[in-house]
Amino acid sequence: MTSLTSHSKMAVSSNGRYLSTDSNKVDEPFKVEEAETLNVPPPPTEKSMQLLVLGGNGFVGSHICKEAVDRGLTVASLSRSGRPSIQESWVNNVIWHQGNLLSSDSWMEALNGVTSVISCVGGFGSQSYMYKINGTANINAIRAASEKGVKRFVYISAADFGLVNYLLQGYYEGKKAAETELLTKFAYGGVVLRPGFIYGTRNVGSVKLPLGVIGSPLEMVLQHAKPLKQLPLVGPLFTPPVNVTAVVKVAVRAATDPVFPPGIVDVYGILRYSQQQRAT
């Protein structure tokens, strides 16, 4: 009768070979093969990235373009009107495309070579128009960017203002539809920013409107009144305003920093990220 000890000293491998399990017995040595070396390209540096700003000649978009140019990025903008009338030096360092996101034939070439996109596209009007410009236009851009292999996509959305949402139903439903599309198509590189009222110096023709006169004091008060947001019905109206400088700083970082976490960033997150020093 075969002893239990002899069984413990012999095992059968998956390919039918007998292998000794006796520590005192040395069979043929294991063959260790060197792993194949893969040529993995390094992650792109900030200066090698190409950023496309959708709506780059608007209030927020123009500030994003300026911030990106100042950081040494290759920057392009796509909007229905093309190059803005702003007379500042950074404007000459942006590639200005003219096109309509609702008509793919007019703008697809603007995505060539682009690594990151920031969309500031939005607007007001009739309910159907607001859904189209805030929702459909951005969804078209998100899908096209995904098909072109764009790595990161940042969408400037809007905070939830409760009762106001019902008055601007097309606006908010459009933005929510675009958010859903973004987080589906860019699960690992999609970021939604939800600021409230964005203040700063807004150019209207040759006139500069200092919106900070209203926004800055409100931000100082309301950023410390977060518990008021929990009030029924009126709570969302206490969402603090945020400086356009903070929004663009976080937007550009989210578009270029591969470790910036994907997902939704509310106004308090925007304020927090804008105060952080980016690791180099």
Side-chain angles (χ1 to χ4, degrees):
M1 187 174 186
T2 307
S3 69
L4 181 63
T5 304
S6 62
H7 275 300
S8 66
K9 293 182 179 180
M10 196 71 67
V12 182
S13 69
S14 59
N15 62 5
R17 293 181 59 196
Y18 286 91
L19 303 175
S20 172
T21 58
D22 188 348
S23 59
N24 295 321
K25 182 177 180 181
V26 179
D27 287 341
E28 57 187 74
F30 288 105
K31 294 181 179 180
V32 179
E33 295 183 2
E34 186 176 346
E36 181 182 355
T37 302
L38 298 178
N39 293 319
V40 179
T45 62
E46 193 169 275
K47 292 185 183 300
S48 69
M49 292 181 177
Q50 294 190 41
L51 174 66
L52 176 63
V53 183
L54 305 178
N57 61 357
F59 171 49
V60 177
S62 60
H63 281 80
I64 288 175
C65 287
K66 182 180 185 303
E67 170 76 8
V69 166
D70 289 344
R71 291 175 64 157
L73 298 173
T74 299
V75 185
S77 165
L78 173 72
S79 63
R80 287 179 294 179
S81 54
R83 185 185 177 100
S85 58
I86 302 172
Q87 299 298 319
E88 296 180 15
S89 59
W90 63 266
V91 176
N92 298 322
N93 294 318
V94 176
I95 303 167
W96 300 98
H97 298 285
Q98 187 171 1
N100 187 342
L101 291 176
L102 297 173
S103 174
S104 60
D105 294 339
S106 67
W107 62 275
M108 289 294 288
E109 289 186 0
L111 282 171
N112 291 340
V114 169
T115 54
S116 303
V117 174
I118 301 176
S119 177
C120 312
V121 172
F124 297 95
S126 67
Q127 298 293 353
S128 61
Y129 174 81
M130 287 191 291
Y131 186 90
K132 186 180 293 185
I133 197 68
N134 294 284
T136 306
N138 282 296
I139 290 171
N140 289 347
I142 291 164
R143 290 175 178 173
S146 176
E147 291 173 2
K148 282 280 192 175
V150 171
K151 301 301 182 185
R152 302 188 66 81
F153 197 117
V154 180
Y155 176 44
I156 311 296
S157 188
D160 188 332
F161 280 102
L163 289 174
V164 178
N165 294 17
Y166 291 100
L167 301 175
L168 300 171
Q169 189 173 358
Y171 179 86
Y172 283 99
E173 287 185 354
K175 284 193 174 291
K176 291 298 170 60
E179 289 182 7
T180 300
E181 187 70 20
L182 175 61
L183 298 179
T184 300
K185 286 288 193 293
F186 287 87
Y188 301 104
V191 178
V192 174
L193 301 186
R194 287 184 180 172
F197 170 65
I198 302 176
Y199 68 88
T201 302
R202 183 187 293 263
N203 293 301
V204 180
S206 59
V207 179
K208 293 182 180 293
L209 297 180
L211 301 181
V213 172
I214 300 173
S216 184
L218 283 174
E219 179 186 358
M220 292 293 293
V221 173
L222 294 179
Q223 69 176 317
H224 301 295
K226 192 173 183 180
L228 294 177
K229 283 203 66 183
Q230 307 306 316
L231 293 174
L233 300 178
V234 298
L237 298 178
F238 290 96
T239 299
V242 61
N243 194 313
V244 67
T245 303
V247 176
V248 304
K249 183 177 180 180
V250 177
V252 174
R253 176 182 170 186
T256 58
D257 187 350
V259 300
F260 192 99
I264 297 172
V265 183
D266 65 10
V267 64
Y268 301 99
I270 293 171
L271 292 171
R272 184 174 65 253
Y273 277 119
S274 69
Q275 294 163 4
Q276 294 178 352
Q277 293 292 328
R278 178 174 174 177
T280 55

